[in-house]
């Protein structure tokens, strides 16, 4: 438990690779074949991974012991737990707000670079791809380990790093939107 944030940061930093690659390639793909082609190209790695898993990974053995069978909670019981457990509820609300914040920035940076700063779509995609790939990857890893260090095993302190990071993202977001020059 004392290293869980670092491990989760490492896992979630993997999404940065896909984000970076699709933004970097997306601008070029759009200029060559149109925006629909980006969706086709972004799905190829998932299809290849699914084929690999289907062909190479074996289904783990299942228990035949009927006493070990797990029954799913009824939806209303799960909803009551979600609403009634402050940690789960506020953690989910916070994660949703953070995801909206992050998604909004990544989705709108490219059009801002194109429309406001005069970059080509390929150049803007490359810039955002590198930023998303490198910065998102490093921040995913570093924020997890930094949270572990600051929390020192106390779950009640795990909110500090994400809260500070989200707070700092607000002026950065305004800076992106109102920057007078590309630099």
């Amino acid at each position: 438990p004392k290293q869980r944030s670092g491990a989760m940061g490492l896992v979630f930093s993997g999404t940065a690779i896909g984000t970076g690659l699709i933004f970097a390639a997306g601008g070029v793909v759009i200029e060559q074949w149109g925006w629909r082609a980006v969706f086709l190209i972004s799905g190829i790695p998932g299809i290849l991974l699914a084929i690999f898993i289907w062909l190479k990974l074996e289904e783990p053995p299942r228990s035949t012991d009927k006493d070990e069978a797990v029954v799913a909670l009824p939806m209303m019981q799960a909803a009551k737990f979600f609403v009634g457990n402050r940690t789960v509820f506020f953690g989910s609300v916070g994660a949703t707000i953070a995801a909206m914040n992050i998604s909004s920035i990544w989705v709108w940076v490219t059009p801002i670079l194109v429309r406001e700063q005069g970059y080509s779509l390929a150049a803007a995609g490359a810039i955002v791809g590198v930023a998303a790939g490198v910065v998102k990857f490093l921040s995913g890893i570093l924020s997890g380990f930094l949270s572990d260090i600051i929390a020192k095993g106390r779950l009640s302190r795990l909110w500090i790093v994400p809260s500070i990071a989200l707070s700092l993202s607000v002026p950065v977001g305004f800076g992106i939107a109102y920057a007078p020059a590309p630099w």
Side-chain angles (χ1 to χ4, degrees):
K2 291 181 180 181
Q3 298 174 336
R4 188 173 291 140
S5 295
M8 292 304 295
L10 187 61
V11 168
F12 284 114
S13 68
T15 63
I17 296 167
T19 303
L21 288 173
I22 199 58
F23 270 102
V28 174
V29 170
I30 288 172
E31 286 184 349
Q32 294 296 314
W33 300 291
W35 63 270
R36 290 174 186 90
V38 174
F39 291 100
L40 293 172
I41 291 188
S42 65
I44 290 172
I47 292 169
L48 295 175
L49 181 61
I51 292 169
F52 172 78
I53 289 172
W54 186 36
L55 295 174
K56 295 294 182 184
L57 296 181
E58 293 182 25
E59 182 74 20
R62 306 229 180 220
S63 173
T64 57
D65 188 0
K66 295 193 190 293
D67 291 337
E68 290 185 26
V70 179
V71 178
L73 285 176
M75 184 56 89
M76 285 308 295
Q77 190 175 351
K80 285 178 185 175
F81 174 81
F82 174 76
V83 173
N85 186 308
R86 293 172 48 94
T87 303
V88 173
F89 180 77
F90 286 112
S92 297
V93 169
T96 301
I97 292 169
M100 290 170 57
N101 181 5
I102 293 164
S103 296
S104 298
I105 289 173
W106 290 126
V107 167
W108 285 105
V109 169
T110 304
I112 287 171
L113 289 173
V114 171
R115 295 175 189 160
E116 300 295 324
Q117 303 298 340
Y119 284 93
S120 71
L121 196 52
I127 291 167
V128 174
V130 169
V134 174
V135 174
K136 189 176 174 185
F137 182 80
L138 291 175
S139 67
I141 291 174
L142 295 176
S143 64
F145 289 115
L146 187 58
S147 292
D148 285 337
I149 291 167
I150 289 174
K152 295 180 182 169
R154 291 185 277 179
L155 296 176
S156 62
R157 295 176 74 182
L158 286 175
W159 62 272
I160 295 171
V161 171
S163 297
I164 290 171
L166 281 172
S167 299
L168 292 174
S169 72
V170 173
V172 172
F174 280 108
I176 291 168
Y178 295 107
W183 57 269

